[in-house]
Amino acid sequence: MKDLYEITRHLVWVTQFGLSICVPLVLSIAASVWLQKTFSLDGWVVAVGVILGILIAVNSLRYSLRAIERQGKGSSKKSPPPISFNQHG
């Protein structure tokens, strides 16, 4: 049962990892195309949308990688329990 838990946990991380990269890029491009068509703007709006989407996706990627790293470090390091009142010298 523990293996199933680990598999689903990793599946959730992979899904979040993919979505955190794809969704900001797609939404920024869609918003820039909408702005271009609605307000009759030039093509530079789409270029700005692509660059903005890439920057947001990279930032989200860094945040996800840091969260994965923190979770990996936390599970491998076990500290001894603190000394209670009855256990000191």
Side-chain angles (χ1 to χ4, degrees):
M1 193 64 165
K2 186 173 181 172
D3 292 334
L4 181 62
Y5 173 74
E6 289 294 320
I7 290 171
T8 55
R9 188 172 62 110
H10 291 301
L11 184 62
V12 167
W13 274 110
V14 168
T15 305
Q16 180 190 0
F17 193 68
L19 287 176
S20 67
I21 294 172
C22 295
V23 170
L25 186 60
V26 169
L27 286 179
S28 66
I29 291 173
S32 63
V33 168
W34 178 80
L35 282 172
Q36 181 186 18
K37 288 183 180 183
T38 302
F39 298 111
S40 301
L41 300 172
D42 292 334
W44 62 269
V45 175
V46 178
V48 169
V50 169
I51 291 170
L52 186 64
I54 290 172
L55 290 174
I56 294 170
V58 167
N59 190 26
S60 180
L61 173 68
R62 288 178 54 219
Y63 180 76
S64 295
L65 288 175
R66 284 182 186 163
I68 291 171
E69 183 180 7
R70 275 188 306 229
Q71 185 179 19
K73 284 183 180 179
S75 63
S76 65
K77 192 185 285 186
K78 298 275 184 170
S79 61
I83 297 174
S84 66
F85 180 73
N86 292 332
Q87 291 177 342
H88 65 16

